[in-house]
Amino acid sequence: MIGIRMPNLTRLLNASVVTVNNLADKEYDEDEYVPYAERPETYIVPILFFLILVVGVAGNGVLVLTLLRHSNMRSIPNTYILSLALGDLLVIVTCVPFTSILYTIESWPWGLAVCKLSEWAKDISIGVSVFTLTALAAERYYAIVNPIRRHVAGLSTKPLTLLTVTLIWLLATGLAMPAVLYSHLPTMPLKNNETICVCSPFPKEFGRSYEKGMVLFKFLMYYAIPLCIISGFYLGMARHLELSTRNMPGEQQAAPHQCEQIKARKKVGKMVICFVIIFFICFLPYHVFMLWFHFYPLSNDNYNDYWHAFRIVGFCLSFLNSCVNPIALYFVSGTFRKRFNEYLCCCLPSVRQATTTRGRFPRTRGEASTFYETSFNSTFRRHTQELNSTILLSYPSEAGKPT
């Protein structure tokens, strides 16, 4: 990114956000140039990206470890959540470390291979996230609206879920291929015969039509269309729950296990809604800016401090989405919160108590009897609580039978 004093042209050269083709043949006066040391984003963005890297790797890493190590947590919704976490880890590891310095240095230093990899991983992660959220919404819809027919038709089997996740990754990888094929490193001249290099996904020889087409395609495929589909599924769920409430005079008439299953399904549905809202809020400023900059004829002339700040906010939020899902899950799911504390904090009272108990041996016969009875009761209660947990990582029977 070049710093040009507003409102002269634009100072955006981060090719992951805008194009540089219409600026490549221009030169900038020295009195228009803003040194990097005088820009607030030079200090704010790297710190924010460092936090995204640390929190994202820790949160998504623990989530992946939890779902892989504990077989009782490998439910159908959690398979999709595992796919979300892997997609977030992909963009955090392959993209965040390199793009975090785009606001602190003037020229792309990593070379063409890293440029292609960074753009490719970013598009794959966005595709995996939005397609997985759409599949989760569909799964929740059939789980709540018609769970019995869903089981009869085989729509709830884990092999079908794994096939769906695999197809999601293949589709996201295929749609991201233009980033690999066409990302390049154009140069831009400055004053005194100096040039800078940027990473751009838009080839200059394809012209402005290709840029507009790709921006519109990503907006529709990665944002607008999935949002409409997900909204349709949740509107259908809301209508079904409303009709069910009208037809059921009192929840006390239902069997206790059915009430528990209804509550569990609603809670998982709320968790999915939380993920959906986070995704679409995080990517809304990014798409708004891209559409405005590429389709508004006077965007170069009207680009000012407001749009510059708006662009940076959208840029940061699009990457922040990769680390907020585990945070949301930590507050929504007691089971995940417990596992997270066990793996990262190692400070749960139950863990300390278990460790202390394992290290103490009874000295007398009476003490041994009390010791083993207390130990058995404590272990039994703990496992009973784990089996009764229904938030994330515990999936109720959809056929209407008690688990």
Side-chain angles (χ1 to χ4, degrees):
M1 182 189 71
I2 282 183
I4 308 294
R5 296 197 182 278
M6 301 305 170
N8 299 321
L9 292 176
T10 132
R11 53 179 170 179
L12 351 149
L13 282 182
N14 177 7
S16 62
V17 180
V18 299
T19 178
V20 298
N21 294 340
N22 57 334
L23 305 175
D25 298 327
K26 298 181 181 295
E27 292 185 353
Y28 304 98
D29 297 331
E30 292 181 357
D31 59 349
E32 295 177 339
Y33 181 76
V34 179
Y36 269 61
E38 299 179 8
R39 306 177 195 176
E41 61 267 25
T42 300
Y43 309 98
I44 297 175
V45 174
I47 295 176
L48 180 59
F49 269 64
F50 176 77
L51 294 177
I52 292 175
L53 179 65
V54 174
V55 175
V57 171
N60 288 290
V62 170
L63 179 56
V64 171
L65 182 64
T66 299
L67 297 181
L68 292 180
R69 289 193 61 182
H70 301 276
S71 58
N72 62 319
M73 297 178 180
R74 298 170 191 168
S75 62
I76 293 176
N78 293 344
T79 303
Y80 291 114
I81 294 175
L82 176 62
S83 176
L84 278 176
L86 291 175
D88 291 337
L89 277 176
L90 174 66
V91 73
I92 290 173
V93 173
T94 62
C95 197
V96 169
F98 306 110
T99 57
S100 62
I101 65 169
L102 290 178
Y103 288 86
T104 58
I105 62 175
E106 296 185 285
S107 186
W108 177 267
W110 307 112
L112 181 60
V114 175
C115 171
K116 290 178 176 291
L117 176 64
S118 178
E119 292 294 327
W120 186 53
K122 177 171 63 69
D123 287 351
I124 289 178
S125 177
I126 295 174
V128 167
S129 296
V130 70
F131 299 150
T132 301
L133 290 174
T134 305
L136 259 175
E139 192 275 335
R140 284 294 87 199
Y141 174 82
Y142 286 107
I144 292 178
V145 173
N146 204 338
I148 298 180
R149 182 179 177 182
R150 174 170 166 266
H151 270 265
V152 173
L155 297 177
S156 65
T157 59
K158 289 184 179 180
L160 180 60
T161 304
L162 294 175
L163 177 61
T164 303
V165 171
T166 302
L167 293 177
I168 286 174
W169 277 85
L170 292 176
L171 177 61
T173 303
L175 293 177
M177 288 306 296
V180 176
L181 298 176
Y182 303 126
S183 293
H184 64 303
L185 300 175
T187 58
M188 175 169 289
L190 294 177
K191 205 69 174 176
N192 300 327
N193 296 325
E194 295 180 1
T195 60
I196 64 171
C197 180
V198 294
C199 176
S200 171
F202 304 126
K204 184 177 181 180
E205 58 270 19
F206 288 2
R208 296 279 291 172
S209 298
Y210 176 79
E211 300 169 11
K212 292 182 178 181
M214 287 301 297
V215 170
L216 183 60
F217 172 79
K218 290 183 178 181
F219 170 72
L220 294 175
M221 183 61 66
Y222 294 151
Y223 197 83
I225 294 177
L227 178 60
C228 294
I229 295 175
I230 292 173
S231 300
F233 279 127
Y234 277 100
L235 287 175
M237 276 188 280
R239 178 169 177 78
H240 173 78
L241 293 174
E242 181 183 0
L243 293 177
S244 300
T245 303
R246 292 179 180 178
N247 296 332
M248 185 182 299
E251 291 187 2
Q252 65 275 12
Q253 297 180 359
H257 69 270
Q258 291 179 340
C259 294
E260 291 297 325
Q261 291 174 3
I262 292 174
K263 292 179 181 179
R265 291 178 188 141
K266 288 182 179 180
K267 214 157 190 179
V268 175
K270 291 178 181 179
M271 178 189 66
V272 178
I273 290 177
C274 182
F275 288 163
V276 171
I277 292 175
I278 289 173
F279 178 87
F280 286 103
I281 288 179
C282 287
F283 279 93
L284 178 60
Y286 169 84
H287 286 291
V288 168
F289 177 83
M290 291 292 285
L291 291 173
W292 173 82
F293 183 82
H294 285 276
F295 286 91
Y296 182 56
L298 302 178
S299 59
N300 279 343
D301 297 330
N302 293 339
Y303 184 81
N304 52 26
D305 288 330
Y306 168 80
W307 281 109
H308 183 63
F310 187 85
R311 172 205 169 227
I312 294 177
V313 170
F315 178 77
C316 294
L317 281 178
S318 64
F319 286 98
L320 187 65
N321 176 76
S322 300
C323 73
V324 294
N325 284 343
I327 297 176
L329 203 55
Y330 184 88
F331 290 102
V332 172
S333 169
T335 305
F336 175 71
R337 182 165 56 250
K338 177 182 177 181
R339 298 299 181 188
F340 187 91
N341 290 335
E342 287 179 355
Y343 286 126
L344 278 188
C345 302
C346 298
C347 60
L348 280 180
S350 59
V351 176
R352 291 200 305 267
Q353 181 180 359
T355 304
T356 304
T357 304
R358 284 196 298 267
R360 191 176 74 83
F361 296 94
R363 298 179 180 178
T364 64
R365 188 178 220 175
E367 185 180 356
S369 176
T370 305
F371 171 80
Y372 288 117
E373 181 181 357
T374 304
S375 177
F376 173 79
N377 291 336
S378 176
T379 303
F380 179 79
R381 285 196 301 269
R382 185 172 68 253
H383 286 293
T384 301
Q385 292 174 356
E386 290 181 354
L387 289 176
N388 289 334
S389 177
T390 55
I391 285 272
L392 173 71
L393 322 176
S394 159
Y395 196 60
S397 170
E398 301 290 352
K401 299 179 181 180
T403 55

